[in-house]
Amino acid sequence: MTTKLVLAAAAAGMFTAAGAQAADLPVAPEPVNYVRVCDAYGSGFFYLPGTETCLRVSGGMRVEFRFRDFADDGNSNWGSRDGNATTTRARAYTRFDSRTATEYGLLRTYVDLWFTGDSGGSTTPTVTLKNGFIQFGGFTFGRVGNGFFDFYTGDAWGSMQDQGFSDHESTVFAYTYGFGNGVSASLSIEDATFSRGQLANGFDADGNVVDAFGGHKLPDLVANVRIDQGWGAAQVMGAVHQVNGGNTVQDSAVGWALGAGVTFNLPMIAPKDSVSFQAAYAQGAAQYVSSNLDLDGVVKGGNTVDTTTAWGIGGGFKHYWTSQLSSGFSASYASLEAYGRTYDVDQWAVQGNLAWQPVSGFLMGVELEYLNETYDRPSANLQDDDDLVGMFRVQRMF
């Protein structure tokens, strides 16, 4: 009996010691999802933990001191006691770019938010969705900073004046097909309210154009064929655009536009140098020629829409004097003809800047922008104008 008790006590002691040693062992840690670098889409992307989605977060800040129109012709801000001759702008950027490879192609979501505070405005900044779209395979759905008609929009900053080319945001439903070797074709249905000008029906008591445009009925249909290669890029594009009169007009017309542009890389001059050219022609779709033109048609006989004719040509040059010092230059000419010649106008624009980039992503520079408007029949309502503006810019992007 004594022997049995001794054996039982020894066995109990062994199990107790074993349990104590097991309790002293470290507990296995929970699996941790470490952030991994995603190099499939360029620098700055990382995998969202636990997923195969790559995300890049970027943004920046821009501050500008602006010198308003100081030309001696037209409505000069410096010549008027009530004009704001100098103004300021502060703008912050926040961008999110997510990409996932699927068996159907790339799934991408891109969001680009602008927060802008201008002098004399509200203390609450203006929030703009510059870009916000979903891409799936060859499809693009959402708001894009440049519609599928836009190709070359200028080499200067053009922050205070448009540079004389088609340059507008739009909400699109588009499909792009790649043929290979950098050749692609796109077909896009775009919100026409972002690309329409005015339908003139006389002037009001203050001398402003009475806009007889009706409600938005049909979206624009835009198509392009594009090539991107080592030497540069080129594109031909077209658009169909409805000019719809309101209740007082009871008429509408079909507008359209055609354009072509080309960019040549110039590494023989300096790395990243380029030169670009573009031309466009439109009937009843003037803003596809130039965002400075704002008339798609004129009401004649009280109830008939007569579309305007517009055409334009221009180009630009981007040059790097050194690795830190660069310049952008753009010049354009645009002409619009309308029923009755009252609204006929010729416009030409020139912009140039000089920028210093001592650190990657950081820029300081100055720009001058000039716009001239000459009417075929100047009047109290539509006067010739010279608009000369300048700015000093400080910008940090990451």
Side-chain angles (χ1 to χ4, degrees):
M1 185 71 174
T2 303
T3 302
K4 292 181 178 180
L5 289 173
V6 171
L7 292 173
M14 291 176 61
F15 283 115
T16 302
Q21 291 177 356
D24 292 339
L25 292 175
V27 178
E30 293 289 333
V32 177
N33 288 319
Y34 293 98
V35 174
R36 297 176 293 149
V37 173
C38 174
D39 56 8
Y41 308 109
S43 62
F45 284 89
F46 61 90
Y47 285 100
L48 289 173
T51 74
E52 292 302 313
T53 296
C54 297
L55 176 67
R56 185 176 190 271
V57 180
S58 61
M61 187 70 203
R62 175 185 296 172
V63 182
E64 294 175 348
F65 189 87
R66 300 176 162 205
F67 300 88
R68 308 304 299 184
D69 179 21
F70 49 89
D72 59 359
D73 188 17
N75 299 317
S76 172
N77 289 88
W78 291 84
S80 170
R81 301 287 298 182
D82 297 326
N84 293 323
T86 59
T87 59
T88 60
R89 165 168 288 182
R91 173 176 284 169
Y93 303 84
T94 303
R95 293 165 178 153
F96 303 92
D97 189 352
S98 69
R99 307 188 190 192
T100 306
T102 75
E103 60 180 308
Y104 303 100
L106 179 68
L107 173 59
R108 181 190 185 195
T109 303
Y110 187 76
V111 177
D112 181 8
L113 295 173
W114 292 9
F115 303 84
T116 305
D118 288 327
S119 62
S122 170
T123 55
T124 303
T126 301
V127 181
T128 302
L129 179 63
K130 181 66 174 182
N131 290 278
F133 57 81
I134 298 170
Q135 290 180 319
F136 183 57
F139 292 95
T140 300
F141 308 106
R143 184 179 177 88
V144 295
N146 297 108
F148 281 77
F149 189 95
D150 296 350
F151 172 72
Y152 177 67
T153 58
D155 277 302
W157 299 330
S159 181
M160 299 180 67
Q161 296 173 345
D162 291 315
Q163 298 183 62
F165 305 94
S166 175
D167 185 6
H168 61 276
E169 299 87 17
S170 185
T171 300
V172 307
F173 297 81
Y175 178 74
T176 299
Y177 181 79
F179 296 97
N181 296 320
V183 180
S184 65
S186 299
L187 183 65
S188 178
I189 297 173
E190 304 190 1
D191 188 332
T193 60
F194 295 103
S195 60
R196 77 181 189 182
Q198 294 179 303
L199 177 58
N201 192 17
F203 301 92
D204 62 17
D206 296 323
N208 300 311
V209 173
V210 175
D211 187 3
F213 242 113
H216 181 258
K217 303 301 180 184
L218 296 176
D220 287 359
L221 183 64
V222 178
N224 71 49
V225 177
R226 181 183 175 111
I227 182 170
D228 292 271
Q229 306 230 322
W231 54 264
Q235 178 176 295
V236 292
M237 52 277 197
V240 179
H241 173 79
Q242 185 187 36
V243 185
N244 181 49
N247 290 328
T248 60
V249 180
Q250 298 291 317
D251 189 28
S252 63
V254 177
W256 54 271
L258 293 173
V262 62
T263 294
F264 295 104
N265 296 327
L266 303 174
M268 71 290 294
I269 299 178
K272 300 189 291 184
D273 274 23
S274 64
V275 62
S276 302
F277 304 95
Q278 181 164 298
Y281 178 89
Q283 291 275 353
Q287 294 219 325
Y288 282 109
V289 171
S290 169
S291 296
N292 288 323
L293 299 177
D294 195 31
L295 194 64
D296 288 340
V298 176
V299 178
K300 67 177 183 179
N303 59 0
T304 302
V305 172
D306 191 271
T307 57
T308 58
T309 298
W311 68 276
I313 189 170
F317 179 50
K318 182 71 174 181
H319 175 58
Y320 284 80
W321 303 97
T322 69
S323 60
Q324 296 182 347
L325 195 65
S326 64
S327 291
F329 176 81
S330 297
S332 64
Y333 171 81
S335 177
L336 182 139
E337 296 181 1
Y339 170 77
R341 297 174 60 189
T342 298
Y343 306 92
D344 291 3
V345 63
D346 294 320
Q347 297 181 346
W348 62 276
V350 179
Q351 299 89 16
N353 60 42
L354 181 65
W356 179 49
Q357 295 177 281
V359 180
S360 177
F362 176 68
L363 174 150
M364 300 176 68
V366 293
E367 176 163 294
L368 281 176
E369 305 173 14
Y370 177 75
L371 175 66
N372 176 275
E373 295 181 318
T374 303
Y375 284 91
D376 186 56
R377 292 183 177 179
S379 64
N381 298 315
L382 301 173
Q383 300 181 22
D384 296 347
D385 188 24
D386 287 317
D387 193 4
L388 180 63
V389 297
M391 77 171 78
F392 169 67
R393 170 180 290 185
V394 180
Q395 177 176 292
R396 172 72 167 103
M397 306 300 291
F398 59 87

